[in-house]
Amino acid sequence: MKVIKQIGRFKILAVLALATAAFLVVKVWAGSPHLVGAATTSCSGDTLTVCGKESGLGNETQITVTISATASCINGGGNHPKAVNKTSVNGSFVVPVQNGHADYCLTVTAAFQPECAPPMTVVFTDVTVTDTVNNLGQSNLSCP
């Protein structure tokens, strides 16, 4: 009789151990999305490129990343000469996830009317990059 009680306890412990293991596997599979380091910006003429990396994305197949910024046409004296030489730039991109992480370099282009031609230069301010799927982001970036 004592052996039967011990076998019953063993079965209960085995079921509890399996249930705990299943819970942990689901928790690990779900991931823990986070940014890896700070996003970087680079600009060339009227284009802005934002690069970033996210990890802990679990079984996600893709994320959606948005970029928004203000582009200003600045004269050689460092001044913004006309209110019309300021524009918003936006972009939304689908980024694939591989092995639980996503690396991206995404580019948006500012369109000015009239054109921002030399000696004028384009400066990007209020740059924000956001993963809209996981609600992760960085703001107050600029370029240059």
Side-chain angles (χ1 to χ4, degrees), residues 71-88:
S72 300
C73 191
I74 306 296
N75 66 21
N79 297 314
H80 185 268
K82 295 181 184 175
V84 295
N85 277 354
K86 184 176 185 180
T87 187
S88 294

Side-chain angles (χ1 to χ4, degrees), residues 33-119:
H34 59 277
L35 300 172
V36 178
T40 60
T41 60
S42 62
C43 42
S44 176
D46 58 356
T47 62
L48 167 69
T49 301
V50 178
C51 297
K53 181 175 184 175
E54 291 183 37
S55 195
L57 298 174
N59 61 351
E60 293 181 51
T61 58
Q62 63 188 28
I63 58 174
T64 301
V65 177
T66 60
I67 297 172
S68 63
T70 300
S72 300
C73 191
I74 306 296
N75 66 21
N79 297 314
H80 185 268
K82 295 181 184 175
V84 295
N85 277 354
K86 184 176 185 180
T87 187
S88 294
V89 292
N90 299 293
S92 184
F93 307 87
V94 174
V95 178
V97 173
Q98 296 178 341
N99 298 323
H101 65 88
D103 298 322
Y104 55 85
C105 283
L106 309 169
T107 301
V108 292
T109 302
F112 291 97
Q113 288 299 329
E115 183 179 343
C116 186

Side-chain angles (χ1 to χ4, degrees), residues 33-39 50 52-54 63-67 104 127-141:
H34 59 277
L35 300 172
V36 178
V50 178
K53 181 175 184 175
E54 291 183 37
I63 58 174
T64 301
V65 177
T66 60
I67 297 172
Y104 55 85
V127 179
T128 300
V129 58
T130 306
D131 168 357
T132 60
V133 173
N134 296 297
N135 198 29
L136 297 172
Q138 293 179 314
S139 57
N140 297 323
L141 303 170

